Amino acid sequence: MPTAAKSREFFYAEHGKPLQDAALHDGIIADGDQERANAVGDAVARRLGLTDEEIAALKK
Amino acid sequence: MQQTVTIDGRPAIVSYLDEMLVPVADSAEAKLIEALFLDAQGGSLFLKPQPPQAKEYDESQHPRDDRGRWTDAGGVEGGSDAGSVAAPNAVPAVTPTSTPGNVPPIKKEKSKLSDFNKDEVNLDRDTNFDPKKQEKFLKVWNDNIDQAPAEFRKQFLGGLPGSMTIRYDEGNEEFGISGHIHDKNGNNIAEYSRDIDFKHKIASSNYFKVLGKEQGHGVGKQLLAGNMDVYRKLGMKRVDVRANIDVGGYAWARYGYVPTQSSWNELRGYIERKLTRPSGGGRRPAPSGDTYTPSSWEELSSDQQDDIYREWARLSYDEFYESEVESWRDSGRPLNDAKEELAKDFDSKQEWALDALQKWREKRGEIPSSDEYDDDVPFTNKQILDAMTVDYSDRYEEGRADPEFSFDDSGLTEPEGYDPDQMALPGIDLPEPHEYLTQDMRDEIDTALTKAFNDKAESDADSVDPPNYLADGVSDYQSEYWDQLDDHDRFRQADRLGLIPDIEIPADEEEEQAQPEPPQLPLQDVGTDALLKLTRSADPKALWAIADSTRGKELLLNTGWAGRLDLSDKEQMARFDAYVHKKKAA
């Protein structure tokens, strides 16, 4: 059984390719509540000194 | 049985349980209903099913307005929402017996070792058979979890069917929890491993692999949600994760994980370097002044491109090899090999088989004894195993087949209580010695040994060494993979590994550059400036705004960092819940 030393969280293996995780994460992100997550990220950015204009520019 | 419902407008999954908190298939048989809220507030609620209400309609209970429409107090709560708990045809009427977040009102009995055996939650061998370790384990379990093993497994796996093995580290008061997720046919579709450190209240997400990427995100999300619900109940402070595959460095940031300070310091330097390199073929002067750092694959000479390929192949070799090993494990070959080996070595000295019979006897309610027989099963474990053989074969060599056990009655000659000189009464035949082992007993032994055989083989399969030929093909796979990449991706791979060389500016160009140049327009736009500002913040949460930006995925692709989710941090949990506990719109 895998141990902590072999730390690989969320992945799959396909013959002939390196280990991958995109197909697992992309689905979760696509199904998520982007607005809610972005609101938290924006609040943090504001707290770190970014202006509303800069925050908006990040999304362009 | 589980259903997704709404309770007071909040999405929840309800599970129907019997008095032992084991899920039941028919909601009418439920003695208790557990509701697990899926929204940000989280929490759970235990509900007591009410007997079905009389069907007669009582207008006085449903006030209407002057146009004949039900008022708020008169209609059925939830309207046409078929998943609502209050909808009369969806589930039995329920009465809350506790509020979200409260400890369930039912005081459960403390779990005993036999409960783990009964619920098929496996424990490591020492914990199973060392009374002192067993006692400590049960104390940690009952002090912290206070839940039947089967119920814990169900919640921890987010309702997914699967297996669970717990390795107890008594020195660190830590559980290593691992197992497989199964599909509806019982086949393995994913493998997981988590650690729970009760002393420091830290959980670690160590390993999660899916065997088919198509449905993987649904399974992964459900497992993450189940894990987190349990961690919250257990009062864990944080969950650690290592983002180290292609999209993970971006995705874990979206889910609210933040890098450790040292990881952030490393990561922000890398992001800053990427941001300060102009895109679209521009040149960034290198520090020496007479060289520049290219920003596209085409700017590199073919010798430089070849050098980069060789270095990339060297640095990514382990990643490709590991993928080949994992693919080989997914194929079931090592499991098949482990099963063949177990069948070949089968005899009455095999610990796994002796342990299985011992646990079987305990399950039958016998007094545990390693080698003593009693009246119910009048043969010792050794006698039984000596009289058994096992065959194993899987035509596809995928390790999915079960072993076939059989009994040789000629080996069952000395049951307890058998007296060969005993006189038979006229007309009554005395049972043959082997008949003391009844068909029911044989069936139970077969079931117990089959499970133990498969469990042991799964455990052994992890330590089966991969065959040498896997390494032989890696270089070819790397070459094929590289050939399929376009120039942009080749440059990105090289950049990620720090392989982009500075290029010398030819002398004639240097002269040109020495001429006075018109003032340059700022190379960076407001968005890039904002990203750079974020990389200069010491606060690891700055990563979130980077990840949320349009360039987030590109900037964080293939990055590796150690991250944490602090369960008491509202911002982190809000982001986590936005993805993992988000109910998909119908």
Side-chain angles (χ1 to χ4, degrees), chain A residues 1-45 47-51 53-60, chain B residues 40 178 191 193-194 205-210 213 216-217 220 224 241-242 244-248 250-252 254-255 319-320 322-324 326-327 462 477 481 527 530-531 533 537 539 541-542 544 548-550 553 571 575 577-579 582 584:
Chain A
M1 193 52 65
T3 62
K6 184 187 168 189
S7 189
R8 292 277 188 208
E9 176 68 351
F10 262 66
F11 75 99
Y12 52 92
E14 283 184 312
H15 175 59
K17 293 178 180 174
L19 297 175
Q20 298 166 83
D21 60 5
L24 308 187
H25 287 301
D26 287 349
I28 296 176
I29 290 171
D31 286 350
D33 186 341
Q34 322 298 340
E35 222 170 282
R36 197 167 138 206
N38 287 346
V40 179
D42 291 353
V44 169
R47 197 167 68 224
L48 297 178
L50 264 62
T51 64
E53 186 204 359
E54 287 173 320
I55 292 169
L58 289 174
K59 312 283 167 54
K60 282 181 187 165
Chain B
S178 57
E191 187 179 357
S193 169
R194 274 89 179 84
S205 297
N206 296 329
Y207 187 92
F208 178 71
K209 176 174 78 167
V210 298
K213 67 177 182 184
H217 80 268
L224 276 186
V241 76
R242 174 90 204 160
N244 54 4
I245 308 183
D246 47 356
V247 175
Y250 159 74
W252 293 109
R254 296 286 288 173
Y255 306 156
E319 213 178 318
F320 275 81
E322 202 181 325
S323 182
E324 289 311 301
E326 294 292 350
S327 293
D462 287 325
Y477 304 139
Y481 181 81
L531 287 167
K533 215 184 235 186
S537 166
D539 187 340
K541 281 185 182 175
W544 293 348
D548 296 349
S549 75
T550 316
K553 193 170 182 180
E571 289 177 333
R575 279 179 77 93
D577 289 335
Y579 290 102
K582 160 84 165 40
K584 199 174 179 181

Side-chain angles (χ1 to χ4, degrees), chain B residues 485-561:
Chain B
L485 296 181
D486 61 24
D487 287 352
H488 175 78
D489 284 335
R490 285 179 188 169
F491 188 81
R492 191 170 55 78
Q493 293 274 359
D495 191 25
R496 171 174 73 99
L497 297 170
L499 303 177
I500 305 296
D502 286 342
I503 296 179
E504 216 168 286
I505 299 172
D508 52 342
E509 274 193 40
E510 271 190 79
E511 281 166 22
E512 277 174 33
Q513 286 196 351
Q515 301 301 315
E517 288 183 0
Q520 298 283 311
L521 288 171
L523 286 174
Q524 284 140 213
D525 55 25
V526 181
T528 308
D529 278 341
L531 287 167
L532 282 168
K533 215 184 235 186
L534 290 166
T535 64
R536 285 160 195 159
S537 166
D539 187 340
K541 281 185 182 175
L543 178 63
W544 293 348
I546 295 173
D548 296 349
S549 75
T550 316
R551 296 186 64 188
K553 193 170 182 180
E554 165 225 331
L555 289 169
L556 296 172
L557 212 59
N558 294 118
T559 56
W561 47 272

Side-chain angles (χ1 to χ4, degrees), chain B residues 140-177:
Chain B
V140 174
W141 178 276
N142 287 317
D143 286 353
N144 292 283
I145 295 175
D146 192 21
Q147 202 171 30
E151 182 58 19
F152 174 79
R153 179 182 56 213
K154 193 189 90 179
Q155 290 190 7
F156 194 70
L157 302 186
L160 295 161
S163 63
M164 180 175 279
T165 296
I166 302 176
R167 290 179 311 280
Y168 172 48
D169 175 351
E170 57 183 320
N172 295 313
E173 215 171 287
E174 192 171 303
F175 287 0
I177 301 176

Side-chain angles (χ1 to χ4, degrees), chain B residues 111 113 116 123-124 126-145 166-175 198-199:
Chain B
S111 292
L113 198 77
F116 291 86
L123 301 176
D124 63 272
D126 285 352
T127 305
N128 249 318
F129 295 104
D130 175 348
K132 281 185 184 168
K133 190 175 178 189
Q134 204 176 96
E135 193 183 332
K136 284 184 186 173
F137 166 78
L138 288 173
K139 183 167 175 11
V140 174
W141 178 276
N142 287 317
D143 286 353
N144 292 283
I145 295 175
I166 302 176
R167 290 179 311 280
Y168 172 48
D169 175 351
E170 57 183 320
N172 295 313
E173 215 171 287
E174 192 171 303
F175 287 0
F198 289 102
K199 204 188 280 180

